[in-house]
Amino acid sequence: MIYSYPNYYNNFKCVASKCKDTCCSAWQIVIDDDSLTGYENYEGEYKKTLCRNISWEEGVFNHNDKGTCAFLRDDMLCDMYIHMGKDSLCKTCREYPRHTEEFENLREISLSISCPEVARMLINTTDKVTFYTREDDEEEVFEDFDYFMFSNLEDIREEIISVIQNRDTSLRDRIDRILQIGASAQRHYEEGELILWSECDDEDRVASKSEYKLLMKQFSFLLDELELLYSNWEDVLIETAELVFSRGEAEFLLNRQEFIKWWEKSSLTPMDILLEQIIVYFISIYFLGAVYDENIIGKVDAGISHSIEIFILLLGRWIKNEERLDMDDVVEIVYRYSREIEHSDENLERVEIINWFDRK
């Protein structure tokens, strides 16, 4: 078994009570079966408090009158952890923000940017993200696993990441090339050929008569097509759409130009690098999943579109803040966007079938 990790993986450390938006707050934490059995059999002095704060029928931790996990104390520490120790945590609490994608004899382990601290780490990373592996003697065979297709997909993903990390080329050109790769690979696969990505035809190119209309359409998907998970997110989307798009194309183009100029003079991570890291993040985690559903182009288009949506959200916040942003603004937008997309199986499936881009 091979285990793969991003190179910043070991740098993560939970900041616990210092977290500005703790994962112990409004989330509904599902308890795995082993932990639930352990709680049922627990006989320590904390038993009454433990049992009172678990919904046994649903297998989740209860929330208190503040809407947070019943075990979250006023000092933002976990009462169960303090009384029962680290081993008492359920699988979700023990592993988050670690995320695992499973393939035959491969486990790809990442850190979710839905965690503010992980988002901050990634946003502040200016070096190109790389991946390292370790190996053990465990073997696992997946029934009907198409290893030949999987090997092809690994090659394509390697090429996509190589293209997006080529900083000698403009980000726009890199994105155009990646969108062509996704369309070409899908087309060749459906034609029953090898999954060729380098042989791009004109039909693989994105057709966009008006970037303003395209971006406005894409941003509307967040409100119209996706499940809304967290409080106030709908308000954020409506406000952003109003600030960014409501005054027409000329105003949009002017604001975008001024925003990019402002960002270049700021102390924030360069915009091209920030968006590059976002694309690498989503492609590295979700692209190989095409071995299960054969939707190559959907995963490529979604990976690019996430970076576009985050750019629009940043632009909206910059306008709202009277042409300024700080690192906390950027971190908040990234982790809140991730929570809306990655904490919903419905949204993860939906973003890969939305028609983000029209081809020629």
Side-chain angles (χ1 to χ4, degrees), residues 276-338:
E276 170 194 311
Q277 307 294 38
I278 296 297
I279 293 169
V280 170
Y281 170 84
F282 281 104
I283 292 293
S284 66
I285 293 176
Y286 297 107
F287 180 77
L288 293 184
V291 73
Y292 298 123
D293 63 14
E294 304 175 347
N295 185 12
I296 301 169
I297 190 172
K299 289 173 174 55
V300 172
D301 286 3
I304 296 297
S305 297
H306 294 314
S307 70
I308 293 172
E309 303 289 32
I310 286 173
F311 176 84
I312 295 170
L313 287 162
L314 290 170
L315 174 57
R317 180 67 64 87
W318 177 78
I319 296 171
K320 178 182 179 181
N321 289 356
E322 299 180 350
E323 302 187 357
R324 60 182 177 82
L325 280 177
D326 59 27
M327 180 56 68
D328 287 342
D329 288 313
V330 181
V331 170
E332 180 191 340
I333 285 169
V334 170
Y335 82 72
R336 290 196 66 186
Y337 178 83
S338 170

Side-chain angles (χ1 to χ4, degrees), residues 29 67 96 104 133 146 171 176 193 198 234 238 244 258 265 281 294 303 308 311 321 342-343 355:
I29 300 173
Y96 181 80
E104 183 174 281
T133 61
D146 189 340
L171 182 65
D176 286 345
E193 304 174 12
S198 56
E234 183 177 12
I238 293 172
V244 173
E258 292 302 314
K265 295 178 182 178
Y281 170 84
E294 304 175 347
I308 293 172
F311 176 84
N321 289 356
E342 297 190 89
H343 290 195
N355 183 27

Side-chain angles (χ1 to χ4, degrees), residues 10-270:
N10 289 325
N11 296 335
F12 171 75
K13 184 177 181 181
C14 178
V15 296
S17 61
K18 296 179 182 179
C19 185
K20 292 186 176 181
D21 197 351
T22 175
C23 51
C24 305
S25 57
W27 302 10
Q28 177 128 89
I29 300 173
V30 178
I31 307 168
D32 59 285
D33 292 340
D34 289 343
S35 296
L36 199 61
T37 299
Y39 298 151
E40 289 175 343
N41 296 331
Y42 179 74
E43 295 297 337
E45 60 181 20
Y46 195 67
K47 184 177 180 64
K48 287 185 178 180
T49 302
L50 177 68
C51 293
R52 183 174 65 249
N53 291 315
I54 292 176
S55 174
W56 297 97
E57 285 188 10
E58 297 181 25
V60 298
F61 294 129
N62 290 330
H63 282 184
N64 56 30
D65 54 7
K66 298 178 182 177
T68 68
C69 176
F71 294 102
L72 183 64
R73 299 167 15 144
D74 290 340
D75 60 5
M76 306 304 288
L77 296 175
C78 175
D79 200 56
M80 180 194 296
Y81 185 105
I82 289 171
H83 285 86
M84 296 173 59
K86 180 179 179 180
D87 292 341
S88 68
L89 298 179
C90 69
K91 184 177 180 179
T92 299
C93 296
R94 192 167 58 248
E95 294 187 354
Y96 181 80
R98 297 158 191 88
H99 172 84
T100 302
E101 291 289 321
E102 299 186 356
F103 308 99
E104 183 174 281
N105 286 329
L106 174 65
R107 298 292 181 270
E108 296 205 323
I109 303 168
S110 58
L111 294 169
S112 175
I113 56 173
S114 64
C115 165
E117 188 61 20
V118 176
R120 187 177 300 277
M121 284 172 50
L122 186 62
I123 289 166
N124 283 313
T125 299
T126 55
D127 292 339
K128 296 176 183 179
V129 172
T130 58
F131 300 86
Y132 69 92
T133 61
R134 67 175 179 86
E135 191 172 350
D136 64 22
D137 295 331
E138 181 183 352
E139 290 188 9
E140 187 172 21
V141 176
F142 283 18
E143 186 176 349
D144 298 326
F145 188 81
D146 189 340
Y147 195 80
F148 180 73
M149 179 183 184
F150 185 71
S151 180
N152 274 262
L153 292 172
E154 286 185 301
D155 291 341
I156 296 170
R157 185 179 66 172
E158 182 178 348
E159 176 68 11
I160 288 173
I161 292 176
S162 175
V163 169
I164 198 61
Q165 291 183 331
N166 180 10
R167 297 177 184 175
D168 293 330
T169 305
S170 73
L171 182 65
R172 180 179 292 272
D173 287 346
R174 287 181 265 167
I175 287 175
D176 286 345
R177 175 59 180 157
I178 289 171
L179 292 172
Q180 288 178 358
I181 288 173
S184 175
Q186 187 73 54
R187 179 169 52 79
H188 283 99
Y189 176 74
E190 291 176 355
E191 290 171 357
E193 304 174 12
L194 290 173
I195 310 179
L196 302 175
W197 67 88
S198 56
E199 297 182 8
C200 297
D201 289 343
D202 193 55
E203 65 189 280
D204 301 324
R205 298 179 182 275
V206 171
S208 177
K209 296 179 180 179
S210 168
E211 185 178 29
Y212 168 74
K213 291 180 179 178
L214 174 64
L215 297 183
M216 186 165 55
K217 180 192 79 168
Q218 290 178 336
F219 194 74
S220 72
F221 291 154
L222 299 184
L223 190 60
D224 299 338
E225 300 285 345
L226 302 182
E227 176 186 17
L228 300 174
L229 300 185
Y230 296 96
S231 61
N232 300 327
W233 184 245
E234 183 177 12
D235 294 337
V236 170
L237 297 181
I238 293 172
E239 180 181 53
T240 300
E242 174 71 20
L243 291 168
V244 173
F245 298 112
S246 67
R247 297 182 181 179
E249 185 170 5
E251 184 76 12
F252 165 78
L253 293 174
L254 178 62
N255 280 332
R256 187 185 64 177
Q257 181 181 32
E258 292 302 314
F259 175 53
I260 292 172
K261 286 182 180 179
W262 175 89
W263 192 289
E264 289 174 348
K265 295 178 182 178
S266 76
S267 60
L268 298 169
T269 299

Side-chain angles (χ1 to χ4, degrees), residues 221 224-227 302 344-356:
F221 291 154
D224 299 338
E225 300 285 345
L226 302 182
E227 176 186 17
S344 165
D345 290 339
E346 178 182 327
N347 284 346
L348 282 172
E349 293 175 7
R350 185 65 185 156
V351 295
E352 293 179 359
I353 61 174
I354 289 175
N355 183 27
W356 293 101

